[in-house]
Amino acid sequence: MKTIGLIGGMSWESTQVYYRILNEKMKEKLGGSHSCECILYSVDFAEVERLQHEGNWDALARQLTDIAIKLQAAGAELILIGTNTMHKNFDTIQKQVDAPLLHIADTAADAIVEQRMKRVGLIGTRFTMEQDFYADRLRDHGIEVVIPDVKARMAIHEVIFFELTKGIISDVSRRKLQNIVDNLEKKGAEGVVLGCTELPMLLDQQHSRLPLFDTTRLHAEAAVNAALRKHP
């Protein structure tokens, strides 16, 4: 079993879900009392959130690179960035460490391709929806991406930062996001990527006619599979 390094705290609400899935999946794979060998570095999300909204991605890249280096030095053989948005800095971080990083959008793409879908909706922070770093990664797998309109993008962004990262679960917000997902279906989406690790706290498959791709679970489960693989 390889040791997994997890860069978490973005937010800790979803990081605890990562930890649970990593251990549940490892037990499922190996049985008995097995659990996941992992090292967690959890950041102060207030600082990350501030830098994101200031657009200071270079400072964030330096911060996460330093963390990845520390995780590798501590023994991590595989590294996860436990947030969709910060995969904006994925390539910069990977260049500075030998331990492979597992890209969260690649794990989503694998699940989408497995279901033979060609066009999906993407919801997440405004950074994830409006910038190219995430959608381009999906397009590299031959997947077309559609996003909500401006008003809907702002609504999702506010639900994430004002509610979900603080552990607030609102039925009103759930219905709002359900309507946004329904509108993505009207745009031709065959499924929807929950491109924020907090979104599965609010939406799961019972809330949507369309297949939902839970990136938190997909990322964590792919990490367990990679950790058990004898050869990368």
Side-chain angles (χ1 to χ4, degrees):
M1 181 194 307
K2 295 183 181 70
T3 300
I4 297 171
L6 175 60
I7 305 176
M10 297 173 281
S11 68
W12 71 265
E13 294 286 349
S14 61
T15 297
Q16 62 180 334
V17 179
Y18 263 100
Y19 184 72
R20 175 175 54 77
I21 296 172
L22 287 170
N23 284 288
E24 285 176 349
K25 194 65 177 178
M26 195 64 75
K27 180 180 179 181
E28 177 186 319
K29 290 281 188 179
L30 300 180
S33 300
H34 284 286
S35 55
C36 181
E37 293 185 7
C38 61
I39 305 167
L40 168 63
Y41 192 114
S42 188
V43 304
D44 178 1
F45 184 61
E47 177 68 7
V48 171
E49 181 182 4
R50 179 181 67 81
L51 292 171
Q52 286 178 341
H53 286 92
E54 290 176 356
N56 196 344
W57 299 102
D58 289 341
L60 286 164
R62 290 192 295 272
Q63 180 183 1
L64 267 64
T65 297
D66 288 346
I67 293 170
I69 291 170
K70 290 175 183 177
L71 286 172
Q72 180 172 266
E77 300 166 276
L78 169 69
I79 296 174
L80 303 182
I81 306 170
T83 163
N84 285 269
T85 297
M86 289 315 305
H87 279 73
K88 178 178 174 67
N89 295 124
F90 178 90
D91 292 335
T92 301
I93 299 165
Q94 181 65 89
K95 289 176 183 176
Q96 300 303 316
V97 291
D98 295 324
L101 274 66
L102 184 61
H103 201 297
I104 195 167
D106 288 343
T107 66
D110 288 343
I112 294 163
V113 170
E114 185 178 355
Q115 294 200 31
R116 300 185 178 183
M117 293 181 186
K118 294 293 186 182
R119 184 179 175 93
V120 297
L122 171 63
I123 61 174
T125 67
R126 288 187 64 185
F127 314 118
T128 299
M129 291 184 287
E130 295 176 357
Q131 299 181 28
D132 290 333
F133 68 92
Y134 200 95
D136 280 352
R137 194 84 181 196
L138 295 177
R139 293 183 187 111
D140 287 343
H141 295 265
I143 300 164
E144 187 178 352
V145 177
V146 293
I147 61 174
D149 61 31
V150 174
K151 183 178 179 181
R153 295 199 299 270
M154 180 58 75
I156 298 167
H157 191 86
E158 290 178 350
V159 168
I160 291 168
F161 281 99
F162 298 156
E163 297 178 18
L164 297 180
T165 62
K166 297 174 173 61
I168 299 169
I169 306 300
S170 162
D171 288 336
V172 172
S173 295
R174 179 180 288 117
R175 287 192 294 272
K176 187 183 301 182
L177 265 61
Q178 284 178 291
N179 288 334
I180 292 170
V181 168
D182 288 344
N183 286 331
L184 287 172
E185 183 177 18
K186 294 174 184 176
K187 290 186 175 184
E190 302 170 89
V192 173
V193 176
L194 302 182
C196 171
T197 54
E198 280 78 32
L199 283 173
M201 296 163 51
L202 189 62
L203 287 181
D204 59 32
Q205 196 55 64
Q206 68 176 312
H207 302 124
S208 173
R209 294 189 302 269
L210 289 180
L212 299 179
F213 296 93
D214 177 346
T215 54
T216 309
R217 176 167 292 280
L218 292 169
H219 201 203
E221 291 183 349
V224 169
N225 291 335
L228 294 176
R229 210 172 291 138
K230 292 185 178 180
H231 302 287

